[in-house]
Amino acid sequence: MGWEALVHWGGDAVRIEPLSGGVANDVWSVRVHGQIAVGRLGSRTEADLAWEAGLLQHLDRSGMAVPVPIPTIDGRLFSGGLMVMKCIEGGPPETVSDWRRVADTLRELHRLTQGWPQRPGWKSSTDLLHADTGTRVNLASMPPEAVMRCRAAWSRLNGRQTCVVHGNPNNPGNVRMTKDRVVLIDWDESHVDVPDLDLVLPENAAGCDDNAYDVAAQASAAWEAAVCWQDEYAVKRLAEVRAI
């Protein structure tokens, strides 16, 4: 349906300007009910969007600051691939202390979502030890040697407890901070996986020991190589995954 779906948030709902950071989606600032919000239009399935919206509502009810979905006039949390969310004020993390606060927020996310069901159509890193595809991952498109390297990195996570991971928290653009709170935005890559993948933060702000950081960093590089294959960034990330 495209941006025409914005009418479901009211006859006065309008797009204002495009926002940076959208890769898989078209992201704009919008005005809904007289307030500035963020609209994200993409091609995800209704089941996928329902999972994300339900997650954000759960985190909000649990006391975690998140960009909660704003319902349509008739109470739906998305329409025609469009989701409208609360606009979050704040700036990116800049210091090691800031990133430590991000780590604390991530650990709260992980605590609140133990046992959460997988995002429809997605696979975790350890699922991909045996599966070849899952959402944006298609290991069959990668060279066999690259697949072996990625799976070797993911195998070091096998057997660990899973929960929801944000998926890209080390991008400063995905964090909004004030002196009182830390908010993770852009949950488009969130899914159920091993929490270590979220904790590869600048300056090792999560305080991982050397071995834990190495395991997480290798698995994270392998994940990003597989998800983005085969653009330049994916090739760069694969080069960081040690050969077997």
Side-chain angles (χ1 to χ4, degrees):
M1 185 175 186
W3 283 102
E4 296 86 354
L6 191 59
V7 71
H8 295 298
W9 278 264
D12 62 344
V14 293
R15 280 193 292 172
I16 300 174
E17 60 182 356
L19 299 175
S20 62
V23 177
N25 302 286
D26 191 15
V27 184
W28 284 64
S29 63
V30 298
R31 183 177 291 107
V32 173
H33 311 313
Q35 301 294 320
I36 300 299
V38 175
R40 191 191 74 198
L41 179 65
S43 58
R44 291 284 173 86
T45 66
E46 289 198 355
D48 185 289
L49 292 175
W51 183 95
E52 181 180 346
L55 169 68
L56 293 173
Q57 287 185 316
H58 165 72
L59 296 174
D60 178 59
R61 288 192 298 265
S62 300
M64 192 171 171
V66 293
V68 289
I70 298 171
T72 62
I73 293 173
D74 59 2
R76 290 174 291 162
L77 298 178
F78 51 87
S79 176
L82 176 64
M83 186 181 291
V84 176
M85 294 160 283
K86 179 181 177 182
C87 184
I88 304 296
E89 301 296 332
E94 298 177 342
T95 66
V96 175
S97 177
D98 287 345
W99 281 109
R100 289 184 183 129
R101 291 175 62 200
V102 175
D104 290 341
T105 300
L106 288 164
R107 288 192 167 107
E108 180 68 359
L109 163 67
H110 301 157
R111 184 187 70 81
L112 291 171
T113 57
Q114 292 179 21
W116 201 260
Q118 182 59 279
R119 193 168 193 155
W122 285 67
K123 294 287 191 295
S124 70
S125 55
T126 51
D127 289 335
L128 291 170
L129 294 174
H130 308 289
D132 292 327
T133 60
T135 311
R136 290 168 56 194
V137 175
N138 181 6
L139 296 182
S141 69
M142 300 178 72
E145 186 270 342
V147 175
M148 290 178 62
R149 284 161 65 184
C150 289
R151 282 177 164 162
W154 296 329
S155 69
R156 299 169 75 189
L157 300 174
N158 203 23
R160 301 194 186 191
Q161 188 175 46
T162 61
C163 59
V164 172
V165 296
H166 176 272
N168 191 17
N170 57 0
N171 177 354
N174 287 340
V175 183
R176 296 287 183 271
M177 303 186 69
T178 67
K179 65 178 183 179
D180 300 317
R181 57 159 174 73
V182 177
V183 184
L184 300 168
I185 64 172
D186 192 357
W187 292 77
D188 192 51
E189 297 296 316
S190 58
H191 63 284
V192 170
D193 215 314
V194 177
D196 306 53
L197 294 173
D198 264 351
L199 300 179
V200 186
L201 299 175
E203 306 294 335
N204 189 19
C208 302
D209 64 37
D210 289 347
N211 181 66
Y213 188 86
D214 180 70
V215 169
Q218 287 286 290
S220 178
W223 176 264
E224 293 189 356
V227 167
C228 300
W229 194 260
Q230 60 189 38
D231 63 20
E232 290 184 9
Y233 179 74
V235 173
K236 176 183 176 182
R237 292 296 272 156
L238 180 64
E240 298 171 22
V241 182
R242 289 191 295 273
I244 301 170

